[in-house]
mmCIF file of all heavy atoms in Angstrom:
data_model
loop_
_atom_site.group_PDB
_atom_site.id
_atom_site.type_symbol
_atom_site.label_atom_id
_atom_site.label_comp_id
_atom_site.label_asym_id
_atom_site.label_seq_id
_atom_site.Cartn_x
_atom_site.Cartn_y
_atom_site.Cartn_z
ATOM 1 N N ARG A 1 94.219 107.147 119.654
ATOM 2 C CA ARG A 1 93.484 105.963 119.151
ATOM 3 C C ARG A 1 92.724 106.445 117.946
ATOM 4 O O ARG A 1 91.875 107.342 118.006
ATOM 5 C CB ARG A 1 92.542 105.376 120.160
ATOM 6 C CG ARG A 1 91.867 104.059 119.523
ATOM 7 C CD ARG A 1 90.964 103.416 120.554
ATOM 8 N NE ARG A 1 89.601 103.998 120.653
ATOM 9 C CZ ARG A 1 88.610 103.526 121.036
ATOM 10 N NH1 ARG A 1 88.700 102.253 121.489
ATOM 11 N NH2 ARG A 1 87.445 104.097 121.136
ATOM 12 N N LEU A 2 93.005 105.855 116.873
ATOM 13 C CA LEU A 2 92.339 106.150 115.562
ATOM 14 C C LEU A 2 91.151 105.126 115.304
ATOM 15 O O LEU A 2 91.216 103.932 115.744
ATOM 16 C CB LEU A 2 93.387 106.038 114.323
ATOM 17 C CG LEU A 2 94.593 106.840 114.439
ATOM 18 C CD1 LEU A 2 95.426 106.682 113.141
ATOM 19 C CD2 LEU A 2 94.329 108.353 114.690
ATOM 20 N N SER A 3 90.120 105.661 114.783
ATOM 21 C CA SER A 3 88.932 104.870 114.381
ATOM 22 C C SER A 3 88.610 104.961 112.988
ATOM 23 O O SER A 3 88.909 106.009 112.257
ATOM 24 C CB SER A 3 87.798 105.343 115.236
ATOM 25 O OG SER A 3 87.897 105.265 116.583
ATOM 26 N N CYS A 4 88.221 103.842 112.426
ATOM 27 C CA CYS A 4 87.649 103.873 111.065
ATOM 28 C C CYS A 4 86.358 103.158 111.032
ATOM 29 O O CYS A 4 86.380 101.958 111.283
ATOM 30 C CB CYS A 4 88.697 103.075 110.167
ATOM 31 S SG CYS A 4 88.289 102.892 108.451
ATOM 32 N N ALA A 5 85.456 103.895 110.629
ATOM 33 C CA ALA A 5 84.013 103.479 110.578
ATOM 34 C C ALA A 5 83.670 103.266 109.083
ATOM 35 O O ALA A 5 83.890 104.069 108.270
ATOM 36 C CB ALA A 5 83.196 104.370 111.316
ATOM 37 N N THR A 6 82.824 102.242 108.889
ATOM 38 C CA THR A 6 82.272 101.982 107.581
ATOM 39 C C THR A 6 80.848 102.442 107.430
ATOM 40 O O THR A 6 80.178 102.560 108.489
ATOM 41 C CB THR A 6 82.387 100.468 107.078
ATOM 42 O OG1 THR A 6 81.440 99.701 107.814
ATOM 43 C CG2 THR A 6 83.739 100.007 107.457
ATOM 44 N N SER A 7 80.354 102.572 106.349
ATOM 45 C CA SER A 7 78.991 103.044 106.227
ATOM 46 C C SER A 7 78.045 101.889 105.772
ATOM 47 O O SER A 7 76.775 102.045 105.434
ATOM 48 C CB SER A 7 78.802 104.153 105.086
ATOM 49 O OG SER A 7 79.369 103.718 103.843
ATOM 50 N N ARG A 8 78.539 100.683 105.701
ATOM 51 C CA ARG A 8 77.743 99.533 105.345
ATOM 52 C C ARG A 8 76.699 99.208 106.323
ATOM 53 O O ARG A 8 76.922 99.163 107.588
ATOM 54 C CB ARG A 8 78.645 98.367 105.190
ATOM 55 C CG ARG A 8 79.552 98.296 104.034
ATOM 56 C CD ARG A 8 80.399 97.152 103.903
ATOM 57 N NE ARG A 8 81.146 96.906 105.167
ATOM 58 C CZ ARG A 8 81.639 95.574 105.491
ATOM 59 N NH1 ARG A 8 81.696 94.654 104.614
ATOM 60 N NH2 ARG A 8 82.414 95.460 106.594
ATOM 61 N N ARG A 9 75.496 98.947 105.852
ATOM 62 C CA ARG A 9 74.302 98.598 106.655
ATOM 63 C C ARG A 9 74.225 97.221 106.880
ATOM 64 O O ARG A 9 73.836 96.586 107.937
ATOM 65 C CB ARG A 9 73.032 99.059 106.099
ATOM 66 C CG ARG A 9 72.979 100.552 105.995
ATOM 67 C CD ARG A 9 71.609 100.999 105.360
ATOM 68 N NE ARG A 9 71.567 102.462 105.325
ATOM 69 C CZ ARG A 9 70.501 103.104 104.690
ATOM 70 N NH1 ARG A 9 69.514 102.428 104.247
ATOM 71 N NH2 ARG A 9 70.571 104.360 104.762
ATOM 72 N N THR A 10 74.654 96.302 105.893
ATOM 73 C CA THR A 10 74.521 94.941 106.082
ATOM 74 C C THR A 10 75.868 94.375 106.754
ATOM 75 O O THR A 10 76.976 94.801 106.526
ATOM 76 C CB THR A 10 74.396 94.193 104.708
ATOM 77 O OG1 THR A 10 75.502 94.697 103.858
ATOM 78 C CG2 THR A 10 73.090 94.640 104.087
ATOM 79 N N TYR A 11 75.704 93.348 107.450
ATOM 80 C CA TYR A 11 76.836 92.727 108.267
ATOM 81 C C TYR A 11 77.638 91.785 107.291
ATOM 82 O O TYR A 11 77.078 90.965 106.517
ATOM 83 C CB TYR A 11 76.329 91.922 109.450
ATOM 84 C CG TYR A 11 77.456 91.259 110.159
ATOM 85 C CD1 TYR A 11 78.396 92.038 111.101
ATOM 86 C CD2 TYR A 11 77.842 89.995 110.008
ATOM 87 C CE1 TYR A 11 79.366 91.510 111.863
ATOM 88 C CE2 TYR A 11 78.872 89.393 110.651
ATOM 89 C CZ TYR A 11 79.632 90.154 111.643
ATOM 90 O OH TYR A 11 80.719 89.602 112.349
ATOM 91 N N GLY A 12 78.996 91.777 107.384
ATOM 92 C CA GLY A 12 79.755 90.954 106.655
ATOM 93 C C GLY A 12 81.212 90.921 107.163
ATOM 94 O O GLY A 12 81.559 91.732 107.863
ATOM 95 N N ASN A 13 81.920 89.856 106.811
ATOM 96 C CA ASN A 13 83.252 89.759 107.318
ATOM 97 C C ASN A 13 84.195 90.401 106.288
ATOM 98 O O ASN A 13 84.002 90.289 104.995
ATOM 99 C CB ASN A 13 83.646 88.261 107.350
ATOM 100 C CG ASN A 13 82.834 87.479 108.462
ATOM 101 O OD1 ASN A 13 82.692 87.998 109.645
ATOM 102 N ND2 ASN A 13 82.449 86.294 108.284
ATOM 103 N N TYR A 14 85.237 91.061 106.707
ATOM 104 C CA TYR A 14 86.193 91.805 105.966
ATOM 105 C C TYR A 14 87.530 92.029 106.658
ATOM 106 O O TYR A 14 87.453 92.246 107.920
ATOM 107 C CB TYR A 14 85.531 93.116 105.513
ATOM 108 C CG TYR A 14 85.088 93.908 106.700
ATOM 109 C CD1 TYR A 14 85.769 94.800 107.353
ATOM 110 C CD2 TYR A 14 83.697 93.800 107.060
ATOM 111 C CE1 TYR A 14 85.370 95.493 108.332
ATOM 112 C CE2 TYR A 14 83.183 94.541 108.100
ATOM 113 C CZ TYR A 14 83.969 95.431 108.778
ATOM 114 O OH TYR A 14 83.499 96.131 109.880
ATOM 115 N N ALA A 15 88.606 92.090 105.907
ATOM 116 C CA ALA A 15 89.933 92.459 106.481
ATOM 117 C C ALA A 15 90.010 93.950 106.423
ATOM 118 O O ALA A 15 89.318 94.613 105.474
ATOM 119 C CB ALA A 15 91.045 91.841 105.617
ATOM 120 N N MET A 16 90.811 94.494 107.324
ATOM 121 C CA MET A 16 91.034 95.935 107.346
ATOM 122 C C MET A 16 92.452 96.220 107.579
ATOM 123 O O MET A 16 93.149 95.461 108.132
ATOM 124 C CB MET A 16 90.174 96.682 108.454
ATOM 125 C CG MET A 16 88.668 96.403 108.311
ATOM 126 S SD MET A 16 87.905 97.335 106.898
ATOM 127 C CE MET A 16 88.140 99.052 107.525
ATOM 128 N N GLY A 17 92.930 97.451 107.076
ATOM 129 C CA GLY A 17 94.215 97.816 107.262
ATOM 130 C C GLY A 17 94.426 99.301 107.647
ATOM 131 O O GLY A 17 93.473 100.131 107.357
ATOM 132 N N TRP A 18 95.641 99.620 108.026
ATOM 133 C CA TRP A 18 96.034 101.045 108.203
ATOM 134 C C TRP A 18 97.340 101.303 107.404
ATOM 135 O O TRP A 18 98.281 100.450 107.574
ATOM 136 C CB TRP A 18 96.175 101.348 109.710
ATOM 137 C CG TRP A 18 94.946 101.447 110.559
ATOM 138 C CD1 TRP A 18 94.365 100.491 111.278
ATOM 139 C CD2 TRP A 18 94.173 102.579 110.641
ATOM 140 N NE1 TRP A 18 93.126 100.968 111.906
ATOM 141 C CE2 TRP A 18 93.097 102.285 111.472
ATOM 142 C CE3 TRP A 18 94.239 103.947 110.146
ATOM 143 C CZ2 TRP A 18 92.013 103.288 111.861
ATOM 144 C CZ3 TRP A 18 93.242 104.858 110.353
ATOM 145 C CH2 TRP A 18 92.094 104.484 111.173
ATOM 146 N N PHE A 19 97.410 102.402 106.837
ATOM 147 C CA PHE A 19 98.518 102.754 106.139
ATOM 148 C C PHE A 19 98.839 104.193 106.581
ATOM 149 O O PHE A 19 97.926 104.913 107.076
ATOM 150 C CB PHE A 19 98.367 102.756 104.613
ATOM 151 C CG PHE A 19 98.439 101.382 104.114
ATOM 152 C CD1 PHE A 19 97.328 100.458 104.284
ATOM 153 C CD2 PHE A 19 99.491 100.903 103.440
ATOM 154 C CE1 PHE A 19 97.465 99.231 103.740
ATOM 155 C CE2 PHE A 19 99.648 99.596 102.928
ATOM 156 C CZ PHE A 19 98.559 98.775 103.077
ATOM 157 N N ARG A 20 100.025 104.766 106.252
ATOM 158 C CA ARG A 20 100.347 106.135 106.542
ATOM 159 C C ARG A 20 101.239 106.822 105.530
ATOM 160 O O ARG A 20 101.979 106.035 104.836
ATOM 161 C CB ARG A 20 100.957 106.337 107.924
ATOM 162 C CG ARG A 20 102.430 105.778 108.037
ATOM 163 C CD ARG A 20 102.758 105.722 109.638
ATOM 164 N NE ARG A 20 104.136 105.306 109.623
ATOM 165 C CZ ARG A 20 104.763 105.065 110.862
ATOM 166 N NH1 ARG A 20 104.035 105.473 111.981
ATOM 167 N NH2 ARG A 20 106.035 104.607 110.947
ATOM 168 N N ARG A 21 101.206 108.090 105.285
ATOM 169 C CA ARG A 21 102.021 108.813 104.413
ATOM 170 C C ARG A 21 102.724 109.993 105.198
ATOM 171 O O ARG A 21 102.013 110.895 105.601
ATOM 172 C CB ARG A 21 101.264 109.321 103.238
ATOM 173 C CG ARG A 21 102.174 109.950 102.174
ATOM 174 C CD ARG A 21 101.397 110.768 101.140
ATOM 175 N NE ARG A 21 100.568 109.901 100.362
ATOM 176 C CZ ARG A 21 100.824 109.184 99.264
ATOM 177 N NH1 ARG A 21 101.965 109.194 98.794
ATOM 178 N NH2 ARG A 21 99.819 108.467 98.723
ATOM 179 N N ALA A 22 103.975 109.823 105.481
ATOM 180 C CA ALA A 22 104.747 110.915 106.131
ATOM 181 C C ALA A 22 105.117 111.918 105.081
ATOM 182 O O ALA A 22 105.071 111.702 103.843
ATOM 183 C CB ALA A 22 105.989 110.288 106.800
ATOM 184 N N PRO A 23 105.380 113.093 105.479
ATOM 185 C CA PRO A 23 105.925 114.267 104.684
ATOM 186 C C PRO A 23 107.155 113.793 103.851
ATOM 187 O O PRO A 23 108.028 113.316 104.296
ATOM 188 C CB PRO A 23 106.261 115.446 105.533
ATOM 189 C CG PRO A 23 105.431 115.094 106.786
ATOM 190 C CD PRO A 23 105.466 113.661 107.013
ATOM 191 N N GLY A 24 106.831 114.023 102.506
ATOM 192 C CA GLY A 24 107.976 113.682 101.582
ATOM 193 C C GLY A 24 108.206 112.269 101.232
ATOM 194 O O GLY A 24 109.155 111.792 100.687
ATOM 195 N N LYS A 25 107.324 111.352 101.810
ATOM 196 C CA LYS A 25 107.359 109.868 101.601
ATOM 197 C C LYS A 25 106.217 109.291 100.945
ATOM 198 O O LYS A 25 105.158 109.955 100.962
ATOM 199 C CB LYS A 25 107.648 109.225 102.866
ATOM 200 C CG LYS A 25 108.921 109.610 103.620
ATOM 201 C CD LYS A 25 109.140 109.012 104.964
ATOM 202 C CE LYS A 25 109.395 107.489 104.793
ATOM 203 N NZ LYS A 25 109.610 106.783 106.119
ATOM 204 N N GLU A 26 106.286 108.060 100.438
ATOM 205 C CA GLU A 26 105.148 107.436 99.845
ATOM 206 C C GLU A 26 104.452 106.698 100.991
ATOM 207 O O GLU A 26 104.838 106.478 102.113
ATOM 208 C CB GLU A 26 105.555 106.423 98.801
ATOM 209 C CG GLU A 26 106.349 105.242 99.266
ATOM 210 C CD GLU A 26 106.908 104.367 98.153
ATOM 211 O OE1 GLU A 26 107.107 104.866 97.073
ATOM 212 O OE2 GLU A 26 107.057 103.188 98.385
ATOM 213 N N ARG A 27 103.167 106.359 100.614
ATOM 214 C CA ARG A 27 102.257 105.530 101.621
ATOM 215 C C ARG A 27 102.896 104.288 101.882
ATOM 216 O O ARG A 27 103.356 103.527 101.110
ATOM 217 C CB ARG A 27 100.957 105.395 100.980
ATOM 218 C CG ARG A 27 99.882 104.934 101.927
ATOM 219 C CD ARG A 27 98.433 104.925 101.190
ATOM 220 N NE ARG A 27 98.096 106.208 100.738
ATOM 221 C CZ ARG A 27 96.787 106.459 100.210
ATOM 222 N NH1 ARG A 27 95.906 105.557 100.204
ATOM 223 N NH2 ARG A 27 96.457 107.685 99.772
ATOM 224 N N GLU A 28 102.794 104.033 103.235
ATOM 225 C CA GLU A 28 103.524 102.807 103.724
ATOM 226 C C GLU A 28 102.537 101.922 104.652
ATOM 227 O O GLU A 28 101.676 102.540 105.327
ATOM 228 C CB GLU A 28 104.815 103.058 104.504
ATOM 229 C CG GLU A 28 104.622 103.841 105.819
ATOM 230 C CD GLU A 28 106.039 103.991 106.589
ATOM 231 O OE1 GLU A 28 106.973 103.534 106.079
ATOM 232 O OE2 GLU A 28 105.828 104.573 107.593
ATOM 233 N N PHE A 29 102.706 100.684 104.731
ATOM 234 C CA PHE A 29 101.917 99.811 105.495
ATOM 235 C C PHE A 29 102.229 99.939 106.976
ATOM 236 O O PHE A 29 103.335 100.150 107.400
ATOM 237 C CB PHE A 29 102.254 98.393 105.207
ATOM 238 C CG PHE A 29 101.638 97.320 106.126
ATOM 239 C CD1 PHE A 29 100.229 97.038 106.030
ATOM 240 C CD2 PHE A 29 102.313 96.701 107.185
ATOM 241 C CE1 PHE A 29 99.660 95.988 106.866
ATOM 242 C CE2 PHE A 29 101.760 95.787 107.972
ATOM 243 C CZ PHE A 29 100.569 95.477 107.858
ATOM 244 N N VAL A 30 101.179 100.021 107.767
ATOM 245 C CA VAL A 30 101.244 100.077 109.295
ATOM 246 C C VAL A 30 100.710 98.962 110.015
ATOM 247 O O VAL A 30 101.444 98.285 110.764
ATOM 248 C CB VAL A 30 100.522 101.372 109.796
ATOM 249 C CG1 VAL A 30 100.504 101.438 111.287
ATOM 250 C CG2 VAL A 30 100.976 102.690 109.142
ATOM 251 N N ALA A 31 99.496 98.521 109.713
ATOM 252 C CA ALA A 31 98.937 97.322 110.373
ATOM 253 C C ALA A 31 97.801 96.839 109.683
ATOM 254 O O ALA A 31 97.151 97.533 108.787
ATOM 255 C CB ALA A 31 98.427 97.723 111.736
ATOM 256 N N ALA A 32 97.388 95.572 109.850
ATOM 257 C CA ALA A 32 96.188 94.981 109.240
ATOM 258 C C ALA A 32 95.698 93.894 110.107
ATOM 259 O O ALA A 32 96.357 93.334 110.960
ATOM 260 C CB ALA A 32 96.632 94.440 107.878
ATOM 261 N N ILE A 33 94.406 93.558 109.943
ATOM 262 C CA ILE A 33 93.807 92.564 110.689
ATOM 263 C C ILE A 33 92.812 91.744 109.855
ATOM 264 O O ILE A 33 92.202 92.292 108.915
ATOM 265 C CB ILE A 33 92.928 93.313 111.948
ATOM 266 C CG1 ILE A 33 92.295 92.162 112.798
ATOM 267 C CG2 ILE A 33 91.752 94.179 111.317
ATOM 268 C CD1 ILE A 33 91.799 92.889 114.061
ATOM 269 N N SER A 34 92.808 90.550 109.992
ATOM 270 C CA SER A 34 92.010 89.506 109.193
ATOM 271 C C SER A 34 90.560 89.619 109.470
ATOM 272 O O SER A 34 90.098 90.267 110.469
ATOM 273 C CB SER A 34 92.511 88.094 109.401
ATOM 274 O OG SER A 34 92.303 87.691 110.751
ATOM 275 N N TRP A 35 89.771 89.060 108.666
ATOM 276 C CA TRP A 35 88.224 89.146 108.735
ATOM 277 C C TRP A 35 87.734 88.449 110.137
ATOM 278 O O TRP A 35 86.705 88.897 110.750
ATOM 279 C CB TRP A 35 87.629 88.372 107.653
ATOM 280 C CG TRP A 35 87.843 86.961 107.613
ATOM 281 C CD1 TRP A 35 88.849 86.251 107.072
ATOM 282 C CD2 TRP A 35 86.987 85.952 108.120
ATOM 283 N NE1 TRP A 35 88.650 84.903 107.212
ATOM 284 C CE2 TRP A 35 87.555 84.731 107.979
ATOM 285 C CE3 TRP A 35 85.816 86.012 108.917
ATOM 286 C CZ2 TRP A 35 86.939 83.504 108.359
ATOM 287 C CZ3 TRP A 35 85.220 84.824 109.403
ATOM 288 C CH2 TRP A 35 85.806 83.489 109.068
ATOM 289 N N ASN A 36 88.536 87.455 110.502
ATOM 290 C CA ASN A 36 88.093 86.671 111.704
ATOM 291 C C ASN A 36 88.718 87.225 112.994
ATOM 292 O O ASN A 36 88.517 86.510 114.030
ATOM 293 C CB ASN A 36 88.319 85.189 111.527
ATOM 294 C CG ASN A 36 89.737 84.941 111.247
ATOM 295 O OD1 ASN A 36 90.708 85.725 111.412
ATOM 296 N ND2 ASN A 36 90.035 83.670 110.782
ATOM 297 N N ASP A 37 89.393 88.293 112.933
ATOM 298 C CA ASP A 37 90.114 88.935 114.205
ATOM 299 C C ASP A 37 91.230 87.941 114.794
ATOM 300 O O ASP A 37 91.471 88.321 115.901
ATOM 301 C CB ASP A 37 88.989 89.264 115.201
ATOM 302 C CG ASP A 37 89.403 90.304 116.177
ATOM 303 O OD1 ASP A 37 90.520 91.067 115.938
ATOM 304 O OD2 ASP A 37 88.820 90.377 117.279
ATOM 305 N N ILE A 38 91.572 86.973 114.011
ATOM 306 C CA ILE A 38 92.589 86.214 114.506
ATOM 307 C C ILE A 38 94.022 86.558 114.229
ATOM 308 O O ILE A 38 94.964 86.504 115.023
ATOM 309 C CB ILE A 38 92.420 84.665 114.144
ATOM 310 C CG1 ILE A 38 91.113 84.198 114.692
ATOM 311 C CG2 ILE A 38 93.592 83.794 114.453
ATOM 312 C CD1 ILE A 38 90.736 82.723 114.158
ATOM 313 N N ASN A 39 94.165 86.943 112.936
ATOM 314 C CA ASN A 39 95.541 87.386 112.527
ATOM 315 C C ASN A 39 95.737 88.818 112.545
ATOM 316 O O ASN A 39 94.877 89.574 111.937
ATOM 317 C CB ASN A 39 95.853 86.780 111.064
ATOM 318 C CG ASN A 39 95.828 85.287 111.097
ATOM 319 O OD1 ASN A 39 96.320 84.518 112.018
ATOM 320 N ND2 ASN A 39 95.006 84.651 110.093
ATOM 321 N N LYS A 40 96.782 89.321 113.003
ATOM 322 C CA LYS A 40 97.241 90.747 113.000
ATOM 323 C C LYS A 40 98.643 90.865 112.498
ATOM 324 O O LYS A 40 99.427 90.090 112.757
ATOM 325 C CB LYS A 40 97.044 91.324 114.407
ATOM 326 C CG LYS A 40 95.674 91.298 114.957
ATOM 327 C CD LYS A 40 95.555 91.812 116.312
ATOM 328 C CE LYS A 40 94.114 91.769 116.864
ATOM 329 N NZ LYS A 40 94.100 92.398 118.277
ATOM 330 N N TYR A 41 98.807 91.962 111.756
ATOM 331 C CA TYR A 41 100.104 92.135 111.062
ATOM 332 C C TYR A 41 100.607 93.620 111.297
ATOM 333 O O TYR A 41 99.668 94.544 111.284
ATOM 334 C CB TYR A 41 100.107 91.984 109.544
ATOM 335 C CG TYR A 41 99.460 90.589 109.315
ATOM 336 C CD1 TYR A 41 98.036 90.516 109.067
ATOM 337 C CD2 TYR A 41 100.173 89.514 109.026
ATOM 338 C CE1 TYR A 41 97.476 89.250 108.799
ATOM 339 C CE2 TYR A 41 99.633 88.242 108.838
ATOM 340 C CZ TYR A 41 98.298 88.152 108.593
ATOM 341 O OH TYR A 41 97.717 86.963 108.344
ATOM 342 N N TYR A 42 101.804 93.727 111.569
ATOM 343 C CA TYR A 42 102.390 95.209 111.843
ATOM 344 C C TYR A 42 103.638 95.441 111.239
ATOM 345 O O TYR A 42 104.465 94.439 110.937
ATOM 346 C CB TYR A 42 102.659 95.229 113.482
ATOM 347 C CG TYR A 42 101.392 95.084 114.222
ATOM 348 C CD1 TYR A 42 101.062 93.870 114.930
ATOM 349 C CD2 TYR A 42 100.582 96.228 114.579
ATOM 350 C CE1 TYR A 42 99.922 93.783 115.631
ATOM 351 C CE2 TYR A 42 99.342 96.116 115.264
ATOM 352 C CZ TYR A 42 99.050 94.914 115.879
ATOM 353 O OH TYR A 42 98.053 94.712 116.643
ATOM 354 N N ALA A 43 103.928 96.603 110.865
ATOM 355 C CA ALA A 43 105.202 96.998 110.350
ATOM 356 C C ALA A 43 106.197 97.039 111.407
ATOM 357 O O ALA A 43 105.847 97.303 112.586
ATOM 358 C CB ALA A 43 105.116 98.414 109.662
ATOM 359 N N ASP A 44 107.401 96.709 111.161
ATOM 360 C CA ASP A 44 108.455 96.640 112.168
ATOM 361 C C ASP A 44 108.469 97.897 113.029
ATOM 362 O O ASP A 44 108.797 97.956 114.164
ATOM 363 C CB ASP A 44 109.773 96.284 111.616
ATOM 364 C CG ASP A 44 109.760 94.886 111.117
ATOM 365 O OD1 ASP A 44 108.927 93.997 111.594
ATOM 366 O OD2 ASP A 44 110.699 94.484 110.346
ATOM 367 N N SER A 45 108.387 99.015 112.337
ATOM 368 C CA SER A 45 108.534 100.313 112.947
ATOM 369 C C SER A 45 107.541 100.698 114.019
ATOM 370 O O SER A 45 107.761 101.547 114.919
ATOM 371 C CB SER A 45 108.584 101.461 111.935
ATOM 372 O OG SER A 45 107.284 101.320 111.260
ATOM 373 N N VAL A 46 106.457 99.813 114.023
ATOM 374 C CA VAL A 46 105.330 100.233 115.020
ATOM 375 C C VAL A 46 105.080 98.980 115.895
ATOM 376 O O VAL A 46 104.372 99.118 116.957
ATOM 377 C CB VAL A 46 104.147 100.550 114.293
ATOM 378 C CG1 VAL A 46 104.316 101.800 113.454
ATOM 379 C CG2 VAL A 46 103.374 99.452 113.598
ATOM 380 N N LYS A 47 105.702 97.812 115.593
ATOM 381 C CA LYS A 47 105.383 96.651 116.361
ATOM 382 C C LYS A 47 105.778 96.847 117.943
ATOM 383 O O LYS A 47 106.811 97.277 118.171
ATOM 384 C CB LYS A 47 106.138 95.532 115.754
ATOM 385 C CG LYS A 47 105.594 94.115 116.294
ATOM 386 C CD LYS A 47 106.139 92.903 115.280
ATOM 387 C CE LYS A 47 105.445 91.671 115.676
ATOM 388 N NZ LYS A 47 105.879 90.620 114.743
ATOM 389 N N GLY A 48 104.854 96.533 118.753
ATOM 390 C CA GLY A 48 104.981 96.631 120.266
ATOM 391 C C GLY A 48 104.555 98.004 120.769
ATOM 392 O O GLY A 48 104.431 98.140 121.969
#
């Protein structure tokens, strides 16, 4: 389980995403989540 913490002190809504870069490859999309926690998106390679 990976975690990503922000340093912001003030509360606000924001979308967040995860990308990855494998050896010898360019950075690629992995997953993302909308500001309201309703919509989630995944690369086909990781879905499920």
Side-chain angles (χ1 to χ4, degrees):
R1 188 178 76 159
L2 306 183
S3 298
C4 175
T6 74
S7 61
R8 294 181 301 167
R9 295 178 179 177
T10 57
Y11 179 82
N13 294 321
Y14 50 88
M16 299 291 292
W18 286 98
F19 288 74
R20 68 186 181 186
R21 188 192 299 275
K25 300 178 66 177
E26 64 184 29
R27 191 174 301 187
E28 66 176 0
F29 171 80
V30 175
I33 186 168
S34 62
W35 69 271
N36 56 11
D37 200 20
I38 294 177
N39 298 315
K40 298 179 180 180
Y41 309 89
Y42 298 95
D44 288 341
S45 60
V46 307
K47 199 166 188 176

